[in-house]
Amino acid sequence: MNAPLNPRFPFFLHGGDYNPDQWRHVPGVLDEDFRLFPLAGVNSVSVGIFSWTALEPEEGRYEFGWLDDVMDRCAIATPSGARPAWMAQKYPEVLRMNWPESVAPQRNLWSGRHNHCPTSPVYREKVRQIDGALAERYGRHPALAFWHLSNEYSGECRCPRCMAAFRDWLRKKYGSLDELNHAWWTGFWAHGYTDWDQIERIDPCLDGLVLDWKRFVSDITADFVRWEAESIRPHSPDAPITTNLMAFYDGLDYARIAREIDLVSWDAYPQYHERPGETETLAAQCGFAHDYMRSLKPGRPFLMMESCPGPTNWFHHNRLLRPGQHRMKSLQAVAHGSDSVQYFQIRKGRGGAEKFHGAVIDHEGTERTRMFREVAQVGRDLEALRPVLGSLVPSRVAFLFDRESDWAQKASAGPCDAVKQHYFDTAIRHYRPYWKRGIPVDVLNGDASLDGYDLVIAPNLFMLRDGFAERVERFVEKGGTFVATWLTGVVGPTNLCFRGGFPGPLRKVLGVWAEETDYLYDDECNSIESAAGNALGLQGSFGTGTVCEVVHPEGAAVAATYGRDFYAGSPALTVNRFGKGEAWYLATWGDDAFLDAFHAALAARRGLRRPFEADLPEGVCANVRENDAGERFVFVTNFASEPRAVDLGPAPRKSLLDGGATVSGTVELPPFGVLALAGAGRAG
Ligand code: GLA
Ligand code: ZN
């Protein structure tokens, strides 16, 4: 059976951010919390995340007494996400400098959190001391499950020291200014550099510079993560280290950060309760985010480090979660491979910017609230789901979702601003047909290995890394199916356009040349006409959506054409046989009906396994986890606010959340209902 993420804790973690330091002067609260934890099924807490002033009230004077008391069952955090006022006052260099482009740099005043300079030697030293002191004291504590580094690393600093570090990074990367000038195309607007020190701002008109700056910010942040990890490991060799990521955050390349940690965790705040009409879209988005985060560490479950029991305080309206929605979104994470359901926050603080943010324990302070009871239900569910712990998601399909490519596209002026803001949405529109059919998917970076997959889908992969096309060629030659779309293979790694026609080095494997692109307005549309006898059996006509590329087959067969305009009759979808496999090129955006038909046919052509023969009704999706003994667990979730009838097929399966009842045939799932089935047979 697969090992849990920390074998000493062989259960789903259920708990989350706990701030007893805010209550250390209020008698009785700690006792009350520990009375409530078992009632809520809370078996772990993350402590110390924002406790630096409680841990070190004055420079060099540590107060650990309060933490000694709570180190009973904890994941412990390092406090570097928010530093004490005394430190900023005495050492202003710990604070970031940010400024609007084109004016002189200014140092931020101390406030908020997440505002440290990553290159400050004083800050690094202070972090090493406090992390080291915590690790020395608790690193071998029997209650310690994981180390949670800092909090949601993010942002950037442009102080003179960080800019100097950037120039060093560039020197290492390019070796000479000649190389750099060439890579950034600095002949444009007379931007050639003759001295490294002339690189003193992130000039938006040099798209190669902007892209390298983003890479540098990821690297310097990763370096800071490593600095924290190295402060801990010598004193705490056995507890795995993580940090909480934010899937949708585009300021860091998480593939880079993931290399510095032992396991991935992330903070999921899907707002199912806010817009009931958009539930299925939200569910697909959140599913993609879970898959993306999980895939950062292949072959391991992840942790959902934060989620909200109740509404947050930062959304526009903060409607209430409807009964059952908390359980639904908690188990959604588990269905995608999480081995925890953790919350921000365990107990609401009385003041400060998060006093109205959802929590397990409300201001009322007891177990009588609705949300407390729903949390307790999740605690019981996680106990019942114990056989699922450690199991993985068996994916034969990979989506390429490459943050560097996203940056390259966003840094470029044009070709169409309306399109380039939608990289995430584009990926999700292609992902949804798999998600709703219960076909497991991994989400990979542009430099990841393609081995072991049947189908690789690369929507709008604007930037190609060196050697990428060769890897795709080998993958397809050996029998893989590759799918690329419009605006793929446009630039290389320094954001210079490929010469010799798009999709650049992929032109050979795809067998097409993409000559020009028509970006339509939202209320305009062309049509996609299925070609007679096409390999996917597509029939009839579909909408294009707003992107229509005009392409010429160079060996590829035409599977669909445009219906109108001067490019009517030219290819909208092509397929190129290459070795034992095939490479598809979708020249147009494609409306949802088209994408559903296209991907359903592709999945069938590849014989991808589905958990059920019958299609799932609207709003219902399925997820699969599998352990190394070959046991499969299928989760079926109804995201809709109405009941849905689901045809599970004739094979009897054990329902883990239902006291082990045996189910088969058509069952009715209540609104937000979840089934977790063991002994799931083969289908599809
Ligand atoms: C983030 C932070 C938490 C808290 C929550 C509120 O995820 O990590 O500290 O501020 O947001 O939703
Ligand atoms: Zn700095």
Side-chain angles (χ1 to χ4, degrees):
M1 291 281 270
N2 306 57
L5 287 164
N6 182 341
R8 290 200 303 110
F9 296 82
F11 47 81
F12 279 91
L13 295 189
H14 185 227
D17 289 28
Y18 179 48
N19 302 314
D21 47 309
Q22 292 178 18
W23 296 91
R24 64 195 193 285
H25 305 303
V26 188
V29 170
L30 204 66
D31 291 345
E32 181 60 3
D33 288 342
F34 278 84
R35 181 185 77 79
L36 291 170
F37 287 165
L39 300 181
V42 163
N43 58 21
S44 53
V45 289
S46 314
V47 284
I49 300 172
F50 295 113
S51 305
W52 200 331
T53 17
L55 292 166
E56 191 181 358
E58 288 168 35
E59 188 170 14
R61 181 166 69 78
Y62 296 118
E63 277 190 11
F64 289 122
W66 64 271
L67 189 50
D68 292 348
D69 284 351
V70 285
M71 274 302 292
D72 229 354
R73 284 178 150 219
C74 300
I76 194 168
T78 67
S80 64
R83 73 225 38 76
W86 59 253
M87 192 189 298
Q89 190 178 29
K90 183 161 175 196
Y91 309 103
E93 68 156 72
V94 303
L95 295 171
R96 267 178 209 172
M97 289 174 94
N98 281 314
W99 65 96
E101 292 305 333
S102 81
V103 295
Q106 282 181 11
R107 195 173 296 286
N108 297 348
L109 291 175
W110 181 80
S111 72
R113 57 177 175 175
H114 300 158
N115 53 8
H116 71 266
C117 164
T119 62
S120 155
V122 168
Y123 196 55
R124 290 214 173 200
E125 194 43 38
K126 293 285 168 205
V127 165
R128 177 130 302 173
Q129 284 164 2
I130 190 87
D131 287 6
L134 285 165
E136 251 180 78
R137 195 170 185 96
Y138 304 111
R140 294 168 202 267
H141 192 293
L144 176 71
F146 300 100
W147 286 98
H148 170 316
L149 295 186
S150 198
N151 191 70
E152 297 187 338
Y153 290 106
S154 52
E156 53 191 56
C157 176
R158 298 184 187 185
C159 74
R161 199 182 34 243
C162 283
M163 291 309 292
F166 178 46
R167 287 190 289 270
D168 285 347
W169 184 94
L170 291 170
R171 248 187 230 115
K172 263 193 215 117
K173 177 167 179 175
Y174 293 109
S176 71
L177 275 177
D178 270 0
E179 279 298 315
L180 173 141
N181 281 318
H182 171 73
W184 289 355
W185 204 254
T186 56
F188 179 75
W189 286 353
H191 265 56
Y193 294 102
T194 54
D195 184 334
W196 292 95
D197 287 343
Q198 291 160 1
I199 306 171
E200 47 179 8
R201 58 170 293 208
I202 313 306
D203 191 332
C205 76
L206 287 184
D207 43 9
L209 160 59
V210 177
L211 178 55
D212 272 335
W213 169 253
K214 299 267 183 205
R215 290 185 177 120
F216 166 76
V217 170
S218 283
D219 271 1
I220 199 75
T221 306
D223 187 69
F224 194 88
V225 176
R226 187 165 56 239
W227 178 267
E228 289 215 54
E230 284 171 355
S231 312
I232 285 168
R233 280 196 219 279
H235 312 288
S236 189
D238 297 327
I241 293 178
T242 188
T243 184
N244 51 340
L245 309 179
M246 305 172 272
F248 301 91
Y249 177 66
D250 68 358
L252 290 173
D253 178 3
Y254 280 144
R256 174 73 192 84
I257 304 297
R259 281 192 242 146
E260 309 298 339
I261 52 182
D262 300 319
L263 60 107
V264 163
S265 66
W266 83 284
D267 301 342
Y269 289 91
Q271 305 289 321
Y272 291 118
H273 47 297
E274 292 288 340
R275 301 243 174 258
E278 293 167 18
T279 314
E280 190 175 311
T281 305
L282 264 179
Q285 284 172 351
C286 188
F288 184 85
H290 283 310
D291 288 343
Y292 167 36
M293 294 286 96
R294 185 195 66 243
S295 307
L296 290 172
K297 285 280 182 197
R300 240 171 281 186
F302 66 99
L303 299 178
M304 180 165 73
M305 186 60 86
E306 292 180 21
S307 64
C308 189
T312 62
N313 64 337
W314 45 259
F315 215 66
H316 308 298
H317 287 269
N318 296 310
R319 290 172 94 243
L320 290 178
L321 271 76
R322 270 43 203 168
Q325 280 187 321
H326 174 70
R327 177 174 186 261
M328 173 189 84
K329 69 184 169 73
S330 299
L331 298 184
Q332 183 187 17
V334 175
H336 281 268
S338 173
D339 272 5
S340 78
V341 173
Q342 287 159 279
Y343 306 120
F344 182 87
Q345 50 190 342
I346 298 285
R347 180 186 271 276
K348 284 185 186 173
R350 291 186 65 196
E354 294 186 322
K355 70 183 180 205
F356 294 126
H357 190 288
V360 178
I361 305 170
D362 211 329
H363 293 297
E364 196 268 346
T366 72
E367 64 272 42
R368 282 192 294 264
T369 62
R370 180 173 67 95
M371 284 320 302
F372 189 98
R373 288 197 301 274
E374 294 209 24
V375 166
Q377 174 62 49
V378 170
R380 288 191 292 277
D381 291 336
L382 293 177
E383 271 306 303
L385 288 172
R386 234 187 240 220
V388 179
L389 190 77
S391 60
L392 304 175
V393 175
S395 315
R396 314 282 309 163
V397 181
F399 269 73
L400 298 187
F401 182 76
D402 190 327
R403 191 53 84 192
E404 288 199 8
S405 174
D406 180 35
W407 289 336
Q409 190 164 218
K410 284 180 181 151
S412 304
C416 172
D417 282 354
V419 162
K420 70 185 186 201
Q421 296 310 326
H422 295 294
Y423 185 51
F424 209 89
D425 294 340
T426 300
I428 288 157
R429 292 177 64 248
H430 283 262
Y431 164 85
R432 205 157 152 169
Y434 298 89
W435 169 82
K436 72 181 224 190
R437 288 176 173 81
I439 299 171
V441 158
D442 285 345
V443 180
L444 306 180
N445 202 31
D447 59 2
S449 160
L450 309 180
D451 292 347
Y453 294 101
D454 293 336
L455 175 57
V456 172
I457 302 167
N460 180 206
L461 193 63
F462 183 80
M463 183 204 87
L464 302 187
R465 290 152 189 268
D466 290 335
F468 177 76
E470 290 74 13
R471 281 193 292 121
V472 172
E473 285 174 13
R474 282 197 300 277
F475 168 75
V476 180
E477 248 163 19
K478 285 194 283 181
T481 301
F482 178 68
V483 180
T485 72
W486 48 273
L487 272 188
T488 285
V490 181
V491 301
T494 63
N495 224 352
L496 296 184
C497 289
F498 288 119
R499 299 174 70 199
F502 304 140
L506 289 172
R507 189 167 167 181
K508 180 167 147 212
V509 69
L510 289 162
V512 290
W513 167 40
E515 185 190 354
E516 52 183 354
T517 311
D518 202 9
Y519 298 101
L520 309 182
Y521 284 91
D522 285 349
D523 57 353
E524 295 180 310
C525 197
N526 202 322
S527 71
I528 303 175
E529 307 295 334
S530 311
N534 68 79
L536 291 180
L538 295 172
Q539 305 257 333
S541 128
F542 302 89
T544 56
T546 54
V547 181
C548 298
E549 246 176 29
V550 182
V551 308
H552 307 277
E554 296 176 330
V558 177
T561 54
Y562 290 110
R564 290 192 291 274
D565 220 317
F566 73 91
Y567 42 91
S570 76
L573 176 68
T574 62
V575 56
N576 196 36
R577 298 207 138 278
F578 192 88
K580 291 191 195 141
E582 54 191 31
W584 292 82
Y585 191 78
L586 177 59
T588 179
W589 179 267
D591 64 10
D592 290 343
F594 174 79
L595 292 184
D596 196 63
F598 170 61
H599 286 296
L602 261 187
R605 188 171 170 81
R606 285 302 325 207
L608 295 173
R609 196 168 160 184
R610 292 200 279 154
F612 309 107
E613 301 279 1
D615 283 341
L616 295 165
E618 164 114 33
V620 175
C621 92
N623 294 91
V624 183
R625 288 181 71 161
E626 188 175 289
N627 65 22
D628 50 15
E631 246 182 305
R632 280 164 78 83
F633 307 97
V634 177
F635 289 77
V636 189
T637 309
N638 179 12
F639 290 95
S641 10
E642 303 86 37
R644 292 277 194 263
V646 181
D647 181 358
L648 304 175
R653 308 169 197 235
K654 190 171 141 196
S655 170
L656 293 173
L657 294 175
D658 231 353
T662 299
V663 291
S664 62
T666 300
V667 300
E668 191 175 91
L669 267 181
F672 318 127
V674 184
L675 277 175
L677 306 170
R682 289 181 166 267

